[in-house]
Amino acid sequence: MAHVITRPCCNDGTCVAVCPVNCIHPTPDEPDFLTAEMLYIDPETCIDCGACIDECPVNAIFPDDQLAAKDEPYLQINADYYKDHDVDGGLVKHPKPPALPDGEGLRVAIVGAGPAAFYAAEELVKKRQIQVDMFDRLPTPYGLVRAGVAPDHAKTKGVESSFGMVEKKQNFTYHLNVEVGTHITGDELRERYGAVLYAVGAPHDRRLGIDGEDLAGSIAATDFVAWYNGHPDYADRTFDLSADRVVVIGNGNVALDVARILVTDPDELARTDIADHALDALRGSAIREVVVMGRRGVEHGAFTNGELLSLNELDGVDIVMPDELVLSEETAAAEADDSLDSVIATKIRIAREFADRPRGGDRRIVFEFLTSPTSIIGADGVEKVAFVRNRYIGGGVIEQTGEVGEIDAGMVVRSVGYRGRPIAGLPFDEVKAVVPNDDSRVLDATGGSPIPGLYVAGWIKRGPTGGIGRNRYCGEEAAKAIIADFAAGVVRNPDKDASDVVDLVTTRGAHRVDLAGWKAIDAAERSAGRESGRRRVKLVTVDALEAAADGQ
């Protein structure tokens, strides 16, 4: 018997470190760790010790004889990885950390409370000499784990338990519901903290750049996801779900999340922590078909195999793949001689299995590959999407064929990525939409020298790529940079201390939420959830969250 990693895998690598036989790959010191969809257990090497089960923060690992029926495909997925990957990669190395200055402390301000911020904080609070103060403009922490992970992926949200261990540390303090730039400036943080780490993500949507993009009914996936997840900024939004067909442009994990939520039985969603206003709207939805449109072929789909496979769990929903899955010449040749990368081969295999399945549901998700939208058409709102077909011309390059068409749609969801925005007082690369940095250290406007005491982590550092596991690596990298600079004397606490922060932000109108306030919010939501058999019932307005934080 062996153990198997399943879909909730967050790639954070904690399981790797506890494996006594190095059977979990890729490890953080292997080249493909940063781009891996998930981690994999080698069934030939696993000794069934179970150490990884206790360490996994999202409960994604099971003995192979205890898999649920929906997770059985992961037996093959784990095994397939080792068809073309070496199992002899090095173990995770733990170099001796640098010695910190005797008798000195360091105050670190972290701006943002998402995964990258918490993984950085987790490393920093291990050093008793370092005090971490975390700022976020919302009354609740956890960033996209709370407001981005789909409500029907509850296991993925289990990573919150790791964050909960960090927030309990004596050298950690919350300043939630405090907006940097409004209640306290970046310069004022630098006057009080020896290091300031920005982990603010990439909150905006990327644009398509086509005609009709701003028609009523053309919406950003970032907005829609935040709405159904109960983000306070979007609680009062309304979306017209009266059309029979919706087109989702893009084929990453977020696109699949949106498609899945739109066709899932609301009674199923009612068991999750989806926002009540979204659940009510979806109960009245007329949507029966979601078309997922991607400009490249199936083998280049940005969705992970786990997300694609999760569509198997939708009752009454047909997954419609093209009758013939068109592959690039390179992919077809590699498939023919059995040299195709195992992850891509698995993606193609899953897609073909969907194509071969009988249909009979009353709702469906239709995949359109090698298809690019050229305009969104309508008078007062979305009516059609015009498109052109693409083809491969070699070397992974596509070109338009000239074959055009239109598809009726009452709503378009644009899901082509996230984009960072400038931060006051920091340089910004408008093309890459990131803060220029070298190994997490913010570079000056010329891009040449690090600015002492300023750091970045997460999507604002590297762009919107990778999920929770990648953000763990990124956050830890930023923390190690701060610790190294503290050890080397590059950063030191300024003369002004941070004892006045609470009074300062309060006088400027902040209704600050501390750890006790967040725990009160959490308890109120979970209590409401227990009454209705749900994980939690989210409070979705700032006023309601503030009241809960105050015990009202």
Side-chain angles (χ1 to χ4, degrees):
M1 185 172 69
H3 284 65
V4 180
I5 299 178
T6 61
R7 188 206 58 76
C9 177
C10 66
N11 296 51
D12 79 349
T14 52
C15 57
V16 174
V18 299
C19 178
V21 293
N22 191 29
C23 75
I24 305 176
H25 295 267
T27 67
D29 57 350
E30 291 173 356
D32 56 342
F33 176 78
L34 297 183
T35 57
E37 292 188 352
M38 58 182 286
L39 304 183
Y40 307 87
I41 293 177
D42 176 19
E44 300 298 325
T45 308
C46 178
I47 60 172
D48 197 29
C49 70
C52 54
I53 292 180
D54 294 334
E55 200 68 21
C56 178
V58 295
N59 298 316
I61 307 177
F62 299 90
D64 61 12
D65 62 351
Q66 296 179 26
L67 286 172
K70 65 182 178 62
D71 290 329
E72 287 183 357
Y74 287 95
L75 278 166
Q76 190 65 45
I77 288 173
N78 276 252
D80 283 349
Y81 178 82
Y82 292 95
K83 290 180 178 179
D84 56 1
H85 289 80
D86 188 2
V87 297
D88 295 325
L91 292 167
V92 178
K93 298 177 178 61
H94 300 283
K96 185 177 180 180
L100 302 184
D102 289 335
E104 288 191 43
L106 181 70
R107 295 187 298 274
V108 179
I110 298 180
V111 183
F118 264 99
Y119 286 128
E122 182 178 23
E123 286 297 304
L124 292 168
V125 297
K126 292 176 183 177
K127 310 295 183 183
R128 300 302 300 171
Q129 292 168 252
I130 298 178
Q131 167 67 41
V132 173
D133 286 9
M134 183 175 285
F135 295 77
D136 197 276
R137 70 182 186 86
L138 294 178
T140 56
Y142 306 162
L144 285 182
V145 173
R146 178 180 170 95
V149 173
D152 57 347
H153 283 354
K155 283 189 175 181
T156 303
K157 297 173 185 281
V159 73
E160 292 176 358
S161 62
S162 297
F163 303 159
M165 298 300 292
V166 176
E167 65 192 14
K168 295 176 184 177
K169 297 292 185 180
Q170 291 185 353
N171 53 336
F172 179 94
T173 301
Y174 269 137
H175 298 287
L176 302 174
N177 214 25
V178 174
E179 185 167 13
V180 174
T182 300
H183 302 123
I184 189 169
T185 69
D187 286 342
E188 287 170 334
L189 289 178
R190 295 189 69 190
E191 290 171 356
R192 291 163 172 79
Y193 296 89
V196 180
L197 170 62
Y198 287 89
V200 294
H204 292 293
D205 64 293
R206 288 181 57 196
R207 303 282 290 175
L208 291 169
I210 61 176
D211 290 341
E213 187 169 8
D214 294 318
L215 280 171
S218 171
I219 65 173
T222 51
D223 294 359
F224 192 67
V225 169
W227 171 75
Y228 66 61
N229 273 314
H231 192 297
D233 290 353
Y234 300 87
D236 60 354
R237 291 285 301 272
T238 57
F239 297 98
D240 185 355
L241 307 180
S242 63
D244 178 74
R245 178 188 289 134
V246 171
V247 172
V248 177
I249 298 173
N251 61 7
N253 283 352
V254 173
L256 265 59
D257 282 347
V258 169
R260 197 178 61 254
I261 293 298
L262 285 171
V263 297
T264 295
D265 184 340
D267 287 341
E268 292 294 324
L269 292 175
R271 302 170 186 170
T272 74
D273 65 358
I274 191 170
D276 283 348
H277 59 252
L279 183 61
D280 291 343
L282 289 165
R283 287 194 183 281
S285 170
I287 296 167
R288 291 296 175 267
E289 178 176 296
V290 178
V291 177
V292 179
M293 185 178 292
R295 61 186 293 268
R296 300 176 69 83
V298 60
E299 75 271 40
H300 296 300
F303 48 77
T304 61
N305 289 334
E307 284 297 324
L308 182 61
L309 194 59
S310 71
L311 300 182
N312 259 326
E313 301 169 25
L314 296 174
D315 290 333
V317 178
D318 293 331
I319 309 302
V320 181
M321 291 287 174
D323 291 335
E324 183 178 353
L325 294 177
V326 182
L327 311 176
S328 68
E329 292 181 5
E330 296 94 328
T331 299
E335 188 177 39
D337 65 12
D338 201 29
S339 63
L340 190 63
D341 177 89
S342 61
V343 175
I344 293 177
T346 298
K347 188 165 293 184
I348 296 169
R349 175 177 59 78
I350 294 171
R352 285 178 173 154
E353 289 172 357
F354 276 126
D356 292 339
R357 281 173 51 175
R359 300 171 189 167
D362 61 350
R363 290 148 289 145
R364 61 187 203 160
I365 297 174
V366 180
F367 284 85
E368 290 285 354
F369 298 109
L370 289 171
T371 303
S372 294
T374 53
S375 65
I376 301 172
I377 302 167
D380 298 323
V382 173
E383 298 175 10
K384 299 176 184 288
V385 177
F387 61 82
V388 62
R389 300 292 188 187
N390 302 319
R391 67 184 172 205
Y392 290 102
I393 60 174
V397 179
I398 62 171
E399 68 175 6
Q400 296 181 354
T401 64
E403 178 187 351
V404 298
E406 295 178 351
I407 184 170
D408 292 335
M411 185 168 82
V412 169
V413 183
R414 310 183 308 271
S415 184
V416 292
Y418 291 72
R419 180 179 172 84
R421 62 182 176 187
I423 299 171
L426 270 63
F428 189 72
D429 185 325
E430 291 286 353
V431 175
K432 297 179 180 179
V434 298
V435 172
N437 68 93
D438 180 16
D439 195 21
S440 305
R441 299 171 176 88
V442 175
L443 299 177
D444 61 25
T446 66
S449 302
I451 303 174
L454 286 181
Y455 305 84
V456 284
W459 284 1
I460 195 62
K461 166 188 169 181
R462 67 180 193 276
T465 59
I468 294 172
R470 179 71 187 274
N471 278 317
R472 181 182 189 100
Y473 181 87
C474 192
E476 290 176 348
E477 187 177 58
K480 289 173 183 176
I482 293 170
I483 292 169
D485 288 352
F486 179 34
V490 175
V491 295
R492 286 289 185 271
N493 278 337
D495 293 336
K496 190 178 187 68
D497 66 30
S499 59
D500 67 339
V501 167
V502 174
D503 289 340
L504 177 64
V505 301
T506 301
T507 59
R508 292 178 179 171
H511 187 135
R512 175 179 170 269
V513 174
D514 59 10
L515 176 60
W518 157 235
K519 288 304 180 185
I521 293 170
D522 187 46
E525 292 184 338
R526 290 184 182 276
S527 175
R530 282 192 295 273
E531 295 174 4
S532 53
R534 301 167 66 183
R535 180 175 176 270
R536 68 170 70 235
V537 174
K538 289 181 177 176
L539 300 170
V540 299
T541 68
V542 171
D543 286 347
L545 290 163
E546 289 176 347
D550 293 341
Q552 300 175 13

